[in-house]
Amino acid sequence: MPTRLDITRQSGFDRGKSVSFMDSPVVLGTDASSSLRFDPTWDNTVAARHASIEWREGAWWIFDHS
């Protein structure tokens, strides 16, 4: 069972906003189905499916998809 994952945006449209996740995977990107969605106009360097964060072997792992 994953531990809670807290993400705070450091820049971009929702800078300073924090979001918590308990499920894996957490998908980051501009696609509407992303768990953590970025604005494609404001955050124009973020891909539709930019990265995912997954709970594996007792730890959170990040995978780059861009």
Side-chain angles (χ1 to χ4, degrees):
M1 172 86 136
T3 60
R4 187 175 82 187
L5 173 66
D6 296 319
I7 298 175
T8 302
R9 294 179 187 236
Q10 299 299 308
S11 63
F13 184 74
D14 283 334
R15 181 180 45 205
K17 182 179 178 184
S18 295
V19 183
S20 297
F21 298 93
M22 289 296 295
D23 296 325
S24 175
V26 176
V27 177
L28 291 72
T30 59
D31 188 75
S33 66
S34 297
S35 310
L36 181 61
R37 187 165 186 258
F38 290 80
D39 183 291
T41 304
W42 184 271
D43 301 306
N44 60 4
T45 60
V46 178
R49 184 175 165 87
H50 198 83
S52 62
I53 304 172
E54 299 178 22
W55 181 258
R56 291 187 181 182
E57 303 170 9
W60 287 103
W61 292 70
I62 189 163
F63 299 93
D64 185 2
H65 299 286
S66 59

